[in-house]
Amino acid sequence: MDKHPPWIITLLLVATVNSTPAMSDSSFNVIASFSVIEDLVERVAGDTIRVNTIVPADKDVHRWELTPPNVLAVEEADIVFYNGYGLEPWMRHVEAMSDDTLTLIALAENADYAPLPISTGQYKDNPDPHMWMDPKGAAAYIDVIAHTLSQHYPEKAEAFNTRAAKARDALAMLDQQLKERLDGIPQTNRVLYTSEAGMAYFARAYNFEYAAIWGVNHETLGSAHAMETMSKRLIEKRPPALFHESTVPSIHMDALARDAELTLSGPLYVDALSASDGPAYNYPAMLQHNANLLHEALGGAREE
């Protein structure tokens, strides 16, 4: 890549001076936009491909700004896997850096999985980007990942496809485990209200009534109008608990919970995995943590 906007050149210079090149036995360089995508890509790629991640675990993918190491990693990459449907606004800068040698793959936009509309906020009725919150959506991502890697590295296609098949089987088993866990919640309590509208696919998959204060995190968080709308909803419907997410401040849901005298539970993990020592250290653990939290907060039946 020979031409860059000035801000990219500055980042590259800083990265070259301050960063240490990553050591890897692989000549294949793949980037994942954030930690959930990283986990899914690694399930197909295996140990032979280095997967760099732009947005670290525990950070908000929507509001990220590229760092010098991010820019250097993009410079060295063959493929960038990202979600798409506007989840990563900063991808426009990656696109500005790219040339014909870099492949950009928007997993959600290429997946065989129909999007839901965003239910509220500034981006209402746009495609909801959070497809991975349903294991069936994640399985559709796996298909795109395996196809893309096989095209770029055909000598490893058989291994990619074998791992992809195992990943799909594991996701089907995870889906069944989540259903069994969540089936213990009484129907009258199956009400899921969050800060960001990031769990619509999860709610549809596991039969929850769902609403959120705002649509996606890169719009205005907790505007007066959005807070009033949710407050009125809570007068009509009093769920056992409200929920906040790991990558957004809990102050908005806390204020609503206090006002309505409801329990506030969390965090749910949606836009990021946790650190490796946290409860959402990989994709299955993330959804299992969320299911357990909902089960406990919404009055799920206790095991005998």
Side-chain angles (χ1 to χ4, degrees), residues 78-131:
D78 301 316
I79 306 171
V80 176
F81 288 107
Y82 67 107
N83 190 80
Y85 283 139
L87 184 85
E88 306 102 332
W90 43 265
M91 271 300 299
R92 66 184 184 275
H93 299 311
V94 176
E95 292 168 355
M97 297 169 58
S98 66
D99 61 14
D100 292 341
T101 68
L102 179 63
T103 299
L104 305 177
I105 300 294
L107 293 176
E109 297 173 22
N110 286 279
D112 184 15
Y113 184 90
L116 292 170
I118 295 174
S119 60
T120 190
Q122 179 182 345
Y123 299 94
K124 183 177 180 180
D125 295 330
N126 286 355
D128 182 344
H130 302 87
M131 292 179 179

Side-chain angles (χ1 to χ4, degrees), residues 31-107:
I31 287 179
S33 61
F34 70 111
S35 54
V36 175
I37 301 297
E38 175 192 19
D39 184 273
L40 297 178
V41 171
E42 287 182 339
R43 290 175 188 278
V44 179
D47 297 332
T48 58
I49 292 180
R50 180 178 64 182
V51 181
N52 283 303
T53 308
I54 291 178
V55 183
D58 270 338
K59 301 298 182 182
D60 185 359
V61 62
H62 299 280
R63 293 172 173 266
W64 186 254
E65 295 183 3
L66 292 179
T67 66
N70 293 157
V71 174
L72 191 60
V74 170
E75 282 287 297
E76 298 175 347
D78 301 316
I79 306 171
V80 176
F81 288 107
Y82 67 107
N83 190 80
Y85 283 139
L87 184 85
E88 306 102 332
W90 43 265
M91 271 300 299
R92 66 184 184 275
H93 299 311
V94 176
E95 292 168 355
M97 297 169 58
S98 66
D99 61 14
D100 292 341
T101 68
L102 179 63
T103 299
L104 305 177
I105 300 294
L107 293 176

Side-chain angles (χ1 to χ4, degrees), residues 115-293:
L116 292 170
I118 295 174
S119 60
T120 190
Q122 179 182 345
Y123 299 94
K124 183 177 180 180
D125 295 330
N126 286 355
D128 182 344
H130 302 87
M131 292 179 179
W132 67 86
M133 292 306 294
D134 177 356
K136 294 182 178 67
Y141 285 20
I142 290 290
D143 289 341
V144 179
I145 293 166
H147 176 73
T148 304
L149 291 178
S150 295
Q151 281 193 321
H152 280 73
Y153 316 122
E155 68 276 18
K156 296 183 179 295
E158 183 177 355
F160 295 145
N161 290 323
T162 297
R163 283 192 287 266
K166 290 181 180 179
R168 286 191 294 270
D169 289 344
L171 288 169
M173 184 178 298
L174 173 65
D175 185 33
Q176 185 59 38
Q177 291 170 343
L178 296 174
K179 287 179 179 176
E180 292 174 359
R181 180 61 167 160
L182 295 167
D183 277 349
I185 300 173
Q187 188 60 43
T188 54
N189 288 7
R190 300 178 78 86
V191 180
L192 175 55
Y193 293 165
T194 60
S195 304
E196 182 196 22
M199 293 194 68
Y201 296 101
F202 184 98
R204 181 180 66 177
Y206 304 112
N207 192 26
F208 285 86
E209 177 186 326
Y210 184 59
I213 304 175
W214 59 81
V216 290
N217 284 349
H218 46 276
E219 64 181 275
T220 301
L221 306 187
S223 68
H225 174 73
M227 293 289 283
E228 181 182 8
T229 299
M230 180 60 80
S231 182
K232 289 179 178 178
R233 181 182 287 272
L234 294 175
I235 293 173
E236 299 171 359
K237 184 90 174 186
R238 293 184 57 80
L242 303 179
F243 298 89
H244 69 92
E245 302 92 276
S246 67
T247 55
V248 298
S250 62
I251 56 174
H252 307 95
M253 269 301 178
D254 183 59
L256 289 166
R258 289 175 181 273
D259 185 60
E261 297 183 342
L262 296 172
T263 299
L264 179 63
S265 294
L268 295 170
Y269 286 85
V270 179
D271 289 331
L273 301 181
S274 69
S276 59
D277 59 350
Y281 55 88
N282 65 19
Y283 176 78
M286 176 181 76
L287 291 192
Q288 288 167 342
H289 164 82
N290 290 347
N292 288 334
L293 185 65

